[in-house]
């Protein structure tokens, strides 16, 4: 929630003159018409020698000037606050904006007109008319915004228009505060399927690691103060002549890396129903799905740039951190755009660091060179699944091209579970289909990836 106020303050001579010029510039069509009519009547009265007509002209010309002066000398203070609920929404969902106006001066206000600045993607600019607000009184109004496009959109500043009772003059005063609405990609709930060969006995596809107390530990190790006596290894104690304890195993968080291809040359078309937007939404769905199941996830794009706030092992999927991690990832995907790169070499270098666990890739059009590079990424993961988009068919609505089928076949020969994505396909169906393809291939891995 943001709060701001329009102050009255004590104006200096220079500010006062500038404010008066602004007030004169705020004359409405009615005020300008009265002023012009008054001047014309005064000129005609002077030429014709008609005193009564001169009085009428002076009255017509003086009225808008008096309204300008009164509105210029208005000395009440108005405070405004804006509450945005929620501040992060999925594309196609609505957010509610609540405005509160409070008269903090000792004088009642006149007619107030409110206008909040919103980008055109969120809809028309909301306008409200408030009647007289008593001293210390407050008024609340609200409106809704909605966008089918991802992004970060500023809301504000709020403009306050003051009118005199006769509608001769109108002044606009702006508040400085604004809020930001983050529109994140749409996500799908994915089925909790499991791959053939998933390790059993460790929960949802998790590995095991050794709970060592230091880098110099051995198996078994010497007893240390505070060790549980139930961990004493008596056979080693008898062998070494001193008290020895066993090392224990503890679950190690399974890892998942999501690769998102953002190259401009890999996608055709634009808009919320384009192939690129489907890939972004698919990456978001996969990341959220894995986070909810306790995986440590990492987002990698073709540029190789890290996500802000990401740790060395990716974002944690623990119960206390998953909501914050999901928010950071969604904020990143909300503003991700096409890159000007021509290949996936930077992403390949990022994945070269070691075992990536499960690798889920969303890629666009691949030429022969990029398909071969993507195929080699399989060697750095325990299991790899690729969703290949043929953006050309998304424009025409036709069948998947033969070249895309060849790329899919090439990835499968390298060990990937690869699927071609037809136009407007549901990721949940492809997710389930990928598990079936992997089951038919009989490939075993220890990461599972779909639980």
């Amino acid at each position: 929630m943001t709060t701001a106020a329009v102050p009255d303050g004590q104006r200096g001579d220079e500010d006062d003159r500038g404010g008066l010029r602004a007030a004169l510039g705020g004359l409405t069509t009615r005020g300008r018409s009265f002023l012009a009519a008054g001047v014309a009547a005064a000129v005609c009265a002077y030429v014709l020698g008609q005193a009564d007509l001169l009085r009428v002209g002076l009255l017509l010309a003086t009225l808008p000037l008096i309204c300008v002066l009164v509105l210029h000398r208005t000395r009440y203070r108005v405070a405004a606050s804006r509450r945005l609920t929620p501040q992060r929404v999925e594309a196609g969902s609505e957010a509610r904006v609540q405005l509160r106006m409070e008269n903090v001066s000792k004088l009642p206000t006149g007619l107030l007109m409110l206008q909040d600045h919103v980008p055109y993607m969120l809809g028309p600019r909301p306008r409200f008319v408030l009647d007289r607000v008593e001293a210390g009184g407050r008024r609340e109004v609200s409106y809704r915004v909605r966008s089918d496009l991802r992004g970060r959109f500023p809301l504000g500043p709020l403009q306050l228009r003051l009118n005199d009772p006769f509608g001769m003059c109108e002044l606009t005063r702006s508040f400085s505060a604004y809020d930001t609405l983050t529109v994140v990609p749409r996500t799908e709930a994915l089925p909790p399927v499991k791959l053939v060969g998933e390790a059993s006995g460790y929960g949802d596809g998790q590995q095991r690691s050794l709970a060592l107390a230091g880098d110099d530990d051995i198996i078994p190790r010497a007893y240390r103060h505070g060790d549980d006596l139930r961990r004493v290894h008596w056979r080693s104690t008898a062998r070494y002549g001193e008290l020895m304890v066993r090392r224990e195993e503890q679950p190690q968080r399974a890892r998942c890396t999501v690769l998102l291809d953002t190259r401009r040359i890999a996608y055709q078309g634009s808009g919320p129903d384009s192939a690129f937007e489907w890939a972004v939404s698919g990456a978001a769905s996969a990341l959220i799905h894995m986070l909810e199941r306790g995986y440590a996830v990492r987002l990698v794009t073709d540029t190789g740039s890290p996500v802000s706030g990401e740790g060395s092992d990716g974002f944690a999927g623990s119960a206390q951190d998953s909501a914050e991690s999901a928010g950071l990832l969604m904020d990143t995907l909300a503003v991700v755009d096409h890159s000007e790169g021509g290949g996936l070499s930077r992403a390949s270098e990022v994945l070269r660091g070691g075992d990536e666990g499960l690798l889920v890739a969303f890629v666009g059009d691949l030429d022969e060179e990029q398909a071969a590079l993507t195929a080699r990424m399989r060697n750095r993961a325990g299991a790899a699944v690729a969703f290949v988009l043929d953006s050309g068919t998304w424009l025409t609505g036709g069948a998947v091209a033969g070249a895309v089928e060849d790329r899919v076949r090439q990835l499968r020969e390298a060990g990937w579970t690869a699927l071609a994505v037809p136009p407007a396909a549901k990721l949940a169906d492809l997710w389930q289909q990928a598990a079936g393809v992997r089951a038919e291939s009989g490939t075993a891995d220890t990461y599972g990836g779909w639980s």
Side-chain angles (χ1 to χ4, degrees):
M1 181 179 68
T2 58
T3 304
V6 174
D8 52 5
Q10 297 296 327
R11 301 182 179 90
D13 292 340
E14 184 176 351
D15 293 340
D16 193 69
R17 290 194 297 269
L20 185 57
R21 285 195 296 269
L24 288 172
L27 282 172
T28 62
T29 302
R30 179 183 300 177
R32 296 176 186 273
S33 299
F34 268 68
L35 185 60
V39 173
V43 171
C44 292
Y46 176 77
V47 173
L48 300 176
Q50 296 291 330
D52 293 337
L53 183 59
L54 178 61
R55 296 188 187 95
V56 173
L58 291 177
L59 176 62
L60 292 176
T62 303
L63 181 59
L65 296 179
I66 294 177
C67 292
V68 167
L69 184 61
V70 171
L71 200 60
H72 169 64
R73 304 301 297 179
T74 299
R75 295 294 183 176
Y76 55 79
R77 291 172 56 89
V78 178
S81 63
R82 181 192 299 104
R83 184 185 298 275
L84 176 61
T85 309
Q87 294 186 338
R88 183 188 294 117
V89 297
E90 285 192 3
S93 300
E94 289 186 343
R96 184 170 181 265
V97 183
Q98 184 176 1
L99 302 175
R100 173 181 292 182
M101 302 295 300
E102 182 177 2
N103 182 12
V104 297
S105 66
K106 298 180 180 180
L107 298 175
T109 70
L111 187 68
L112 300 179
M113 297 180 62
L114 304 180
Q115 176 177 279
D116 208 6
H117 282 258
V118 299
Y120 71 92
M121 290 82 71
L122 301 182
R125 290 184 177 180
R127 295 179 174 88
F128 305 94
V129 177
L130 301 181
D131 292 332
R132 176 179 179 274
V133 181
E134 65 279 4
R138 62 181 60 179
R139 300 288 188 273
E140 292 186 0
V141 293
S142 63
Y143 64 93
R144 296 184 180 274
V145 291
R146 178 181 180 273
S147 174
D148 291 327
L149 300 175
R150 299 176 293 107
R152 293 173 61 86
F153 304 102
L155 300 178
L158 180 66
Q159 285 188 339
L160 177 64
R161 294 185 179 181
L162 310 177
N163 292 78
D164 67 278
F166 299 101
M168 298 289 180
C169 184
E170 177 182 276
L171 291 183
T172 300
R173 298 178 179 177
S174 296
F175 296 87
S176 58
Y178 67 93
D179 287 279
T180 301
L181 174 66
T182 303
V183 181
V184 301
R186 295 184 179 93
T187 58
E188 293 185 44
L190 303 181
V193 297
K194 295 184 179 182
L195 294 180
V196 172
E198 182 177 2
S200 60
Y202 300 140
D204 294 334
Q206 291 180 330
Q207 296 172 285
R208 291 279 178 169
S209 66
L210 301 177
L212 303 181
D215 295 336
D216 57 345
D217 287 329
I218 58 175
I219 306 174
R221 63 171 176 83
Y223 173 82
R224 295 175 181 175
H225 179 71
D227 285 340
D228 192 344
L229 292 178
R230 290 176 295 181
R231 293 173 52 194
V232 173
H233 191 262
W234 297 109
R235 180 178 300 177
S236 299
T237 299
R239 178 179 179 182
Y240 292 101
E242 60 177 323
L243 202 59
M244 307 291 290
V245 295
R246 301 185 306 270
R247 68 174 184 174
E248 290 185 347
E249 292 183 339
Q250 64 180 10
Q252 177 182 2
R253 192 178 309 281
R255 301 172 60 186
C256 174
T257 300
V258 175
L259 172 62
L260 175 61
D261 181 10
T262 65
R263 297 171 299 140
R264 186 179 302 275
I265 62 175
Y267 299 94
Q268 302 179 39
S270 60
D273 297 327
S274 64
F276 178 67
E277 291 301 322
W278 190 97
V280 174
S281 297
S285 301
L287 289 167
I288 296 300
H289 178 76
M290 291 303 176
L291 270 177
E292 291 176 348
R293 278 145 187 82
Y295 278 70
V297 301
R298 185 164 65 142
L299 173 63
V300 176
T301 66
D302 57 287
T303 62
S305 302
V307 178
S308 176
E310 183 178 9
S312 58
D313 292 331
F315 287 98
S318 57
Q320 62 271 23
D321 298 329
S322 60
E324 181 180 356
S325 300
L328 291 173
L329 288 168
M330 292 300 102
D331 288 345
T332 300
L333 291 174
V335 296
V336 70
D337 200 357
H338 288 292
S339 69
E340 301 301 331
L344 301 172
S345 56
R346 292 185 179 179
S348 179
E349 293 176 359
V350 172
L351 299 178
R352 188 179 299 174
D355 186 5
E356 299 300 327
L358 173 66
L359 176 59
V360 181
F362 296 86
V363 295
D365 299 334
L366 298 174
D367 56 24
E368 185 175 354
E369 179 182 356
Q370 298 306 316
L373 180 61
T374 305
R376 290 195 296 270
M377 296 181 190
R378 170 63 181 86
N379 300 329
R380 299 154 196 168
V385 182
F387 299 95
V388 184
L389 291 93
D390 178 15
S391 59
T393 63
W394 284 69
L395 293 177
T396 61
V400 176
V404 178
E405 294 291 355
D406 293 338
R407 302 294 180 242
V408 170
R409 189 179 306 108
Q410 183 178 356
L411 294 178
R412 288 181 178 178
E413 291 174 354
W416 285 80
T417 301
L419 293 175
V421 181
K426 296 293 185 181
L427 179 60
D429 298 336
L430 296 175
W431 197 263
Q432 184 79 43
Q433 183 181 349
V437 170
R438 196 159 184 82
E440 293 175 2
S441 65
T443 305
D445 60 79
T446 59
Y447 289 92
W450 307 101
S451 58

